[in-house]
Amino acid sequence: MKLSYEVIVKDRHGKVIQHLKSKSKSWLKQWNQMIYGGMAGSAQMVTDITGTDRSQSITYDLLWIGETAGDDTIGVVVGSVATAVTMDDYKLDTQIAHGVGAGQLDHLANDVIHPPSINGPTCYFLLTRVFINSSGGLVVVREIGIYARISSAGNACIARDALTGVVNVPNGGSVTVIYSVKAVA
Amino acid sequence: MKITAYIETKVRDRDGRLLSRHKKISRSFVQGYNWAVCAQFLAATNPSPALGPVPATSGADRNLRTCGEAFRIQANVGQTDRGIRVGTSTTAVAIDQYALQAPIAHGNGAGQMEHLATVHNFMGVVGAQCSFWCSRVFVNNSAAQIDVREAGIYMTVYRIPTAGESIMAARDLISEDVPDGGSVTVTYTIRIVL
């Protein structure tokens, strides 16, 4: 399984002003735990984004990434501090909250663009989210990640990337994060 | 960090003596695994647009939904609709393959092998790695040597409206000659490396 991402910044007129594209190196322990638990049919204790250990679902809602706009506890998330990724990370370092206050970004709905497509030896689908800056000032993004459902009790950080560049989102502009989830034969 | 899969095979004779052992990086995830991940990310009972069609291991095209046994590969003795499977084909792996090309059936008849239950272990974080493995033993009581040339993982998914279905998540080429009375053990290790 491979993961890559794109980060696209637009100004208030919709003009693209920054575009990052990179391989992600970000799968975390929680991802392997939950895949293992599902495969083995043996629920694992998984640390959620608050630092609390939760018994995982092994049924319908396992790994749900949510769709609701305004929910910054699930799906694609962004943050402002690019500390190095470690295996035991269970949340972004400094997450940017949903909202229109200073330093906040308006979180639109997550979108899983499906069904998966095949291109050469790769089968992929996209996970994307748009964040609008209506804060009145510049918002700087330096990390991105994915939060997914452990169970109805909590969500886990399954991937996190510290961006190699600084992403400046101007007031009135937006940042779009696109993850590509790939199986490669 | 990256996810790396390894496949290890061990062949033993009827006395349990190790005859061969091979380990290599698996390059084997095929489309079925990605469809299963996508189904869980969506967590929808009736995704729109449809999550399909994708061929099940039977070859029948299915539309998928979120699964009540998400990613399940745990298999009991003799169970062949999920778990690690082996076969005899040497056809190269392709992303759109949906089944082993020549799967070996469970049994003691000619060309068959007894499928034992899968075994699973989460090894957790060791140094800069986080790993788990799943393993299965196949016993040859067919009265003749069986040449095993492929291995794969069959996984449970759910199709619309609500029914269990088998999908192939991975396939690898291997080369193990299993004598009568002997066995082959296939182990997949999934590892995140920092």
Side-chain angles (χ1 to χ4, degrees):
Chain A
M1 287 294 290
K2 294 185 177 179
L3 194 63
S4 63
Y5 65 80
E6 289 184 66
V7 179
I8 302 168
V9 182
K10 296 180 181 179
D11 66 13
R12 64 171 60 248
H13 304 298
K15 179 183 172 185
V16 175
I17 55 176
Q18 192 173 0
H19 188 177
L20 303 178
K21 192 171 184 179
S22 178
K23 292 179 181 176
S24 167
K25 299 177 180 178
S26 63
W27 296 111
L28 299 174
K29 171 186 172 184
Q30 291 80 230
W31 168 264
N32 242 16
Q33 282 183 296
M34 292 198 281
I35 293 292
Y36 171 79
M39 284 185 171
S42 173
Q44 304 295 296
M45 293 301 290
V46 180
T47 304
D48 74 9
I49 57 176
T50 71
T52 305
D53 288 341
R54 308 282 188 189
S55 180
Q56 74 168 106
S57 165
I58 54 173
T59 62
Y60 299 101
D61 61 344
L62 176 62
L63 285 180
W64 179 48
I65 58 86
E67 297 165 352
T68 309
D71 189 345
D72 58 14
T73 68
I74 196 163
V76 178
V77 289
V78 294
S80 58
V81 176
T83 52
V85 177
T86 69
M87 191 70 75
D88 292 321
D89 285 350
Y90 61 86
K91 64 180 182 62
L92 296 193
D93 184 296
T94 305
Q95 189 180 346
I96 295 172
H98 166 72
V100 296
Q104 297 180 332
L105 290 169
D106 201 354
H107 291 45
L108 303 192
N110 293 287
D111 192 10
V112 179
I113 299 175
H114 67 282
S117 301
I118 290 180
N119 182 14
T122 301
C123 176
Y124 71 97
F125 67 91
L126 304 178
L127 170 59
T128 183
R129 191 171 207 178
V130 178
F131 305 83
I132 307 289
N133 181 5
S134 298
S135 70
L138 180 73
V139 175
V140 179
V141 175
R142 293 189 177 90
E143 58 178 332
I144 60 175
I146 305 171
Y147 291 173
R149 180 68 63 88
I150 301 172
S151 71
S152 57
N155 304 324
C157 185
I158 59 172
R160 175 176 176 259
D161 279 288
L163 301 178
T164 53
V166 175
V167 172
N168 293 310
V169 186
N171 182 45
S174 68
V175 56
T176 302
V177 179
I178 304 169
Y179 274 104
S180 180
V181 183
K182 305 172 185 176
V184 183
Chain B
M1 277 168 258
K2 60 181 180 180
I3 294 179
T4 304
Y6 300 87
I7 182 169
E8 182 178 34
T9 51
K10 294 178 184 176
V11 175
R12 298 180 188 276
D13 66 13
R14 64 173 59 249
D15 300 314
R17 187 174 55 184
L18 188 64
L19 300 179
S20 70
R21 177 180 180 179
H22 297 98
K23 185 174 184 178
K24 65 178 183 178
I25 292 177
S26 163
R27 304 182 187 281
S28 63
F29 287 116
V30 292
Q31 65 165 335
Y33 186 67
N34 223 25
W35 284 85
V37 172
C38 190
Q40 291 309 122
F41 276 7
L42 286 165
T45 56
N46 192 10
S48 178
L51 188 55
V54 60
T57 55
S58 66
D61 281 338
R62 303 299 192 197
N63 288 337
L64 304 185
R65 51 156 291 166
T66 185
C67 184
E69 302 167 281
F71 307 113
R72 194 71 48 84
I73 67 169
Q74 177 274 327
N76 299 320
V77 174
Q79 187 173 1
T80 57
D81 62 340
R82 68 187 184 202
I84 296 171
R85 296 290 309 274
V86 292
T88 57
S89 172
T90 60
T91 302
V93 177
I95 190 72
D96 58 352
Q97 288 172 346
Y98 54 84
L100 293 189
Q101 303 298 287
I104 293 171
H106 170 72
N108 293 324
Q112 297 180 336
M113 302 186 84
E114 289 184 55
H115 293 49
L116 304 191
T118 56
V119 178
H120 307 262
N121 184 45
F122 188 79
M123 296 182 288
V125 176
V126 178
Q129 300 177 346
C130 178
S131 311
F132 68 85
W133 56 257
C134 52
S135 183
R136 194 172 203 180
V137 177
F138 303 84
V139 179
N140 179 8
N141 284 320
S142 71
Q145 176 175 300
I146 295 178
D147 298 340
V148 177
R149 295 293 181 263
E150 59 180 335
I153 298 174
Y154 282 13
M155 178 179 286
T156 295
V157 291
Y158 276 15
R159 61 179 162 90
I160 303 289
T162 305
E165 190 66 79
S166 175
I167 202 166
M168 185 168 76
R171 177 173 179 262
D172 280 285
L173 295 183
I174 59 176
S175 183
E176 299 290 4
D177 298 337
V178 186
D180 177 43
S183 68
V184 59
T185 303
V186 179
T187 302
Y188 274 95
T189 300
I190 310 296
R191 177 170 295 158
I192 298 173
V193 181
L194 187 61

